[in-house]
Amino acid sequence: MDLTLLWVLLPLVTVAWGQYGDYGYPYQQYHDYSDDGWVNLNRQGFSYQCPHGQVVVAVRSIFNKKEGSDRQWNYACMPTPQNLGEPTECWWEEINRAGMEWYQTCSNNGLVAGFQSRYFESVLDREWQFYCCRYSKRCPYSCWLTTEYPGHYGEEMDMVSYNYDYYMRGATTTFSAVERDRQWKFIMCRMTDYDCEFANV
């Protein structure tokens, strides 16, 4: 790297570190999110769970047409804020079948804290399950769908939740029988600061 460029960038890095380094910038606490930290090989099943008290905040994936039109996956987790409390229960949701479009949110007002998947050679696709955790009797509100990830079938996927007070509650996916790939829209919601009586919003 050119020394001049280093001297230009160093003050910017120092300012950014000063702003976020000691004040708990939410995305410095990612768990297992690196270029070489894939949780699966192509055509291989996997089960990924965030550490206790953390939820999924980022999803990364690369597509390989030569390896069964499959993807390798990587996830990042972040601890939930103290006002949300500890998870009171966690569970695996129902399976979303391979080769089909689907829409699913965590039942019982849960938040996504993991993914499980199995590859099927016959359809060149995966089935999926969410690992969900409920936080006391908190309820979701102000929910919205992200844009499509990846933007086009076969592209690299890199979804990061930059909204600290929004949590992943599920996803909707479309499946291309031609490309043998999926596009995802993640369901993001805020959670109440108080307990509510609704069992499943």
Side-chain angles (χ1 to χ4, degrees):
M1 178 184 277
D2 183 38
L3 222 44
T4 308
L5 183 61
L6 179 64
W7 286 111
V8 170
L9 293 178
L10 190 58
L12 296 174
V13 171
T14 305
V15 168
W17 182 258
Q19 286 178 338
Y20 300 118
D22 297 329
Y23 297 104
Y25 183 61
Y27 302 105
Q28 70 185 8
Q29 300 180 30
Y30 274 171
H31 174 77
D32 289 341
Y33 194 68
S34 63
D35 286 343
D36 56 355
W38 304 111
V39 298
N40 69 301
L41 299 174
N42 290 117
R43 305 180 193 202
Q44 182 185 69
F46 68 88
S47 180
Y48 178 86
Q49 292 179 29
C50 293
H52 181 77
Q54 297 189 22
V55 292
V56 174
V57 293
V59 180
R60 182 154 193 240
S61 178
I62 55 171
F63 182 75
N64 190 330
K65 188 121 181 128
K66 294 178 182 176
E67 287 292 331
S69 294
D70 195 19
R71 287 183 170 271
Q72 288 181 279
W73 295 88
N74 194 356
Y75 302 96
C77 301
M78 183 180 70
T80 55
Q82 288 183 341
N83 66 348
L84 204 56
E86 290 289 313
T88 50
E89 61 177 319
C90 297
W91 64 93
W92 286 103
E93 279 293 344
E94 293 183 12
I95 294 172
N96 295 288
R97 300 288 174 207
M100 301 175 65
E101 296 183 0
W102 50 264
Y103 175 100
Q104 185 179 49
T105 56
C106 288
S107 60
N108 211 13
N109 298 328
L111 302 176
V112 176
F115 289 83
Q116 186 165 268
S117 182
R118 192 166 58 141
Y119 179 79
F120 288 88
E121 194 79 42
S122 58
V123 287
L124 301 178
D125 191 28
R126 293 180 163 274
E127 68 179 18
W128 290 91
Q129 278 182 287
F130 293 129
Y131 183 67
C132 301
C133 291
R134 181 180 184 193
Y135 285 77
S136 188
K137 293 183 178 179
R138 303 300 168 88
C139 289
Y141 70 100
S142 294
C143 298
W144 56 279
L145 285 172
T146 65
T147 58
E148 292 176 331
Y149 289 96
H152 300 283
Y153 294 112
E155 291 182 347
E156 185 173 321
M157 175 176 165
D158 200 359
M159 191 288 291
V160 179
S161 173
Y162 290 106
N163 294 316
Y164 182 60
D165 54 349
Y166 278 85
Y167 305 95
M168 186 185 298
R169 289 221 49 239
T172 180
T173 71
T174 56
F175 178 69
S176 169
V178 175
E179 300 293 333
R180 312 313 286 183
D181 193 19
R182 287 189 177 277
Q183 285 182 306
W184 297 66
K185 288 184 179 181
F186 296 95
I187 302 161
M188 310 298 291
C189 299
R190 299 183 78 171
M191 297 298 280
T192 58
D193 291 331
Y194 53 86
D195 289 351
C196 68
E197 299 305 315
F198 299 103
N200 201 15
V201 177

